[in-house]
Amino acid sequence: MGLKAAARELGRPVGEMGNPARGAGRTGASHPMVVNEAVLALLRPKPDLAQLASEPADVRAAAQAAVDEPAGLGTIASYATEVALPATGTWANPGKGGAQADIVITAPEDGVPLLFVEIDNCFESAQVLAAKIDKYMRFCQRKVKDVDGKERPMWRTRWWVPDGRHGDQPHPPLLLVCNRVGPRNPHSRSSGSGWRPVPDRVGRRHPALGA
């Protein structure tokens, strides 16, 4: 019901809103809560100071601090959660082997036309996390025939991204958000971690993300 209501409010098809966060509403469901927190951290919504005129001074000061912070990425319409990225199958009926992005951001007005976000609570092993990233790569490398009969990357049939210097390279960026509530140390780079320092996994600094 929440996604349907949001779709009506934003004038978007329900299918573009993604899916409910896994486990949302369950006791101790830390992952969907962190997804929500990540959306807020990236969006950085600004409070309406006029609506807080009668609030205590500390509340108004906190609201003013939020207003003075740099603007976030896009609007609430720029965000979709739990979006299937099929390596096989279709958008509507994804097959096995694909990824599921915790958040997909489309904010070309802020220099971020397409960004996938994966939330890691550090409960899974580094090997499992590396396998997830491989699934993102499989999706990004998949090509299908578009409505014009031409073959192009599947992600380009759903999202618009300007052509880069190398056509469809590099692939859409993936932001990994580590929330250290589990036992794994996200800063550990032991030889058995499963990470492979290849070029397609090297992040690049983006001014709109401040990192």
Side-chain angles (χ1 to χ4, degrees):
M1 291 298 292
L3 289 178
K4 291 181 179 179
R8 287 196 300 269
E9 183 69 21
L10 297 173
R12 293 167 57 181
V14 175
E16 291 185 3
M17 300 302 295
N19 297 303
R22 292 185 297 270
R26 297 177 187 167
T27 301
S30 61
H31 187 271
M33 296 301 101
V34 175
V35 170
N36 292 341
E37 291 170 1
V39 169
L40 290 174
L42 292 163
L43 181 60
R44 295 181 183 175
K46 306 296 184 182
D48 185 349
L49 297 178
Q51 299 292 325
L52 302 174
S54 60
E55 295 294 330
D58 59 334
V59 173
R60 298 197 306 273
Q64 184 63 60
V67 170
D68 294 339
E69 286 287 320
L73 289 178
T75 67
I76 190 62
S78 306
Y79 294 76
T81 59
E82 301 297 334
V83 178
L85 307 177
T88 60
T90 64
W91 291 112
N93 296 292
K96 295 181 179 180
Q100 181 158 282
D102 291 318
I103 306 170
V104 174
I105 304 172
T106 52
E109 69 276 17
D110 289 326
V112 184
L114 179 61
L115 175 65
F116 300 137
V117 182
E118 177 72 23
I119 306 296
D120 172 34
N121 278 348
C122 298
F123 284 107
E124 297 172 326
S125 69
Q127 291 85 351
V128 170
L129 189 57
K132 280 188 175 183
I133 295 177
D134 280 337
K135 290 181 179 181
Y136 278 95
M137 291 303 303
R138 287 189 64 196
F139 166 74
C140 289
Q141 292 167 351
R142 182 184 180 185
K143 291 189 176 183
V144 296
K145 281 190 176 181
D146 206 345
V147 292
D148 58 4
K150 295 181 179 179
E151 191 176 72
R152 54 176 48 91
M154 188 175 187
W155 59 268
R156 280 193 177 275
T157 67
R158 181 167 181 176
W159 296 291
W160 176 86
V161 174
D163 290 334
R165 290 178 300 169
H166 307 291
D168 292 317
Q169 301 290 338
H171 298 306
L174 170 64
L175 173 64
L176 178 62
V177 178
C178 293
N179 179 41
R180 195 175 178 183
V181 295
R184 196 189 78 251
N185 181 0
H187 302 295
S188 174
R189 291 175 178 265
S190 63
S191 59
S193 66
W195 291 105
R196 290 171 289 173
V198 294
D200 60 23
R201 289 189 182 172
V202 176
R204 290 176 175 80
R205 187 179 183 86
H206 196 296
L209 294 174

